[in-house]
Amino acid sequence: MRRALELAARGPARGVNPRVGCVILSPAGETLAEGWHRGAGTPHAEVAALAGLAPGLAHGATAVVTLEPCDHTGRTGPCSRALIEAGIGRVVYGVDDPGRASSGGARRLRGAGVDVEGGLLAAEITDFLADWLFTARAGRPRVTVKWASTLDGRIAAADGSSRWITGPEARADVHLRRSLADAIAVGTGTVLADDPALTARDAEGGLLAEQPVPVVFGRREVPAGAALGNHPHEPVRLTGADLDADLAELGERGIRTLFVEGGPTLASAIVAAGLADELLVYLAPALLGGPRLAIGELGIGHIDGALRYELAEVDRLGRDLRIIARPAAADREGI
């Protein structure tokens, strides 16, 4: 199974499909074939491995695969049926497929008389597939809401100036995390006020190898000459009128992790809707006062309604603090 996990890691980290690896063993335990999923539209790991076998060699063999074989017909056929038709006698997999359309492969295999065992190295594989599993279960990306503020929660001075609230170490950390996210989102207010590039850059201003897809929420027009026009990826426009539907659309586009950069209107709406899975806060030891707060109205009228979070990490970056907080366990609704 660890070899299957190594193979899975060769697949693309981003996209609609999970990274899956498969090893086919003879009845004597010898490796007959290996395969992994190479991206949307290509054969799944099990089918890729079967393709490396001469006719008849799969009969009575064992398929070891990181994710439960799918039972879904999309761009490719269901892996469960491919394994049955090849004569595989036993299937060992790591974690169940929670997909609404793709799950059920283990049940079909058992119904065809195949010996099936699940749960091998489940913890390791769950960590490896964490983002994909979240999106498959929730039907939307995992959302991180980020802001950088002063000790009194201000993100800019009264005149709107905000460069720079935090130091270079915090800013470098932000750009690294941008590069690790599938998409980065702002509202049209931020686009019009700040003209952000929404790229991930190094200390010299050069583009990092991996760039998030820019997403803009809101109905206002983005100027033709906006910096977004130079982004390596085409921006995705969403109205923001129905955040659940908007996030579901991003999930369907293969976006598993969404990095929300603001401004306060978008951040507040996502937090108030219970859609923020993580808060990433960079706190500078400074005071500004004034009205420009990181988070605006949340519709909370009494202290009993306060949104409670658990501190996952608190670290010092240069002169600043980086705080990662996640909804308290009672507020996670089982996701």
Side-chain angles (χ1 to χ4, degrees):
M1 184 62 82
R2 284 203 168 86
R3 175 57 181 166
L5 190 53
E6 290 175 2
L7 294 169
R10 298 182 183 181
R14 294 176 174 175
V16 176
N17 298 98
R19 291 188 288 175
V20 180
C22 177
V23 178
I24 297 179
L25 303 174
S26 72
E30 301 170 335
T31 298
L32 297 175
E34 298 179 337
W36 67 92
H37 185 53
R38 300 170 189 264
T42 66
H44 289 188
E46 300 93 320
V47 175
L50 290 171
L53 290 176
L57 275 184
H59 188 74
T62 295
V64 180
V65 59
T66 51
L67 182 67
E68 176 189 7
C70 71
D71 197 47
H72 170 66
T73 299
R75 296 186 187 181
T76 60
C79 294
S80 57
R81 299 186 189 187
L83 293 167
I84 293 167
E85 291 170 2
I88 290 290
R90 183 169 181 248
V91 172
V92 179
Y93 69 90
V95 298
D96 294 331
D97 185 337
R100 296 178 179 88
S102 56
S103 62
R107 182 174 60 252
R108 183 175 295 278
L109 288 163
R110 290 190 180 99
V114 178
D115 181 21
V116 179
E117 176 187 347
L120 186 61
L121 295 187
E124 292 180 37
I125 296 169
T126 296
D127 287 344
F128 176 76
L129 289 174
D131 293 336
W132 183 85
L133 288 169
F134 182 97
T135 301
R137 290 168 180 149
R140 62 170 179 83
R142 186 171 181 272
V143 177
T144 295
V145 174
K146 168 263 174 183
W147 68 80
S149 73
T150 56
L151 290 176
D152 55 351
R154 268 61 181 185
I155 59 172
D159 65 355
S161 59
S162 61
R163 295 186 180 182
W164 296 102
I165 285 177
T166 55
E169 296 87 353
R171 297 198 297 273
D173 191 69
V174 169
H175 281 279
L176 174 60
R177 290 172 183 270
R178 284 185 180 186
S179 74
L180 297 174
D182 292 338
I184 179 172
V186 294
T188 50
T190 296
V191 173
L192 295 173
D194 299 338
D195 193 24
L198 299 187
T199 51
R201 302 181 297 278
D202 59 26
E204 287 71 43
L207 295 181
L208 296 179
E210 298 291 336
Q211 292 293 322
V213 173
V215 178
V216 179
F217 286 84
R219 292 191 173 93
R220 286 183 284 181
E221 290 295 323
V222 173
L228 276 174
N230 297 318
H231 198 284
H233 298 296
E234 183 73 20
V236 175
R237 289 298 309 268
L238 299 168
T239 67
D242 185 336
L243 288 175
D244 287 313
D246 287 342
L247 292 183
E249 179 180 334
L250 292 178
E252 291 170 0
R253 288 173 176 261
I255 292 172
R256 307 173 194 168
T257 53
L258 181 66
F259 197 72
V260 177
E261 284 262 7
T265 300
L266 176 61
S268 301
I270 287 176
V271 169
L275 297 171
D277 305 296
E278 180 177 83
L279 304 182
L280 174 62
V281 181
Y282 297 88
L283 203 58
L287 300 174
L288 281 173
R292 297 183 181 271
L293 292 166
I295 290 290
E297 180 57 54
L298 294 176
I300 297 171
H302 190 274
I303 189 64
D304 289 345
L307 302 179
R308 301 292 181 180
Y309 293 82
E310 296 173 350
L311 291 178
E313 296 179 27
V314 179
D315 299 292
R316 185 165 181 168
L317 297 178
R319 68 186 186 191
D320 307 311
L321 288 181
R322 179 185 64 199
I323 299 171
I324 297 177
R326 300 186 180 109
D331 297 329
R332 290 181 183 167
E333 300 182 355
I335 292 177

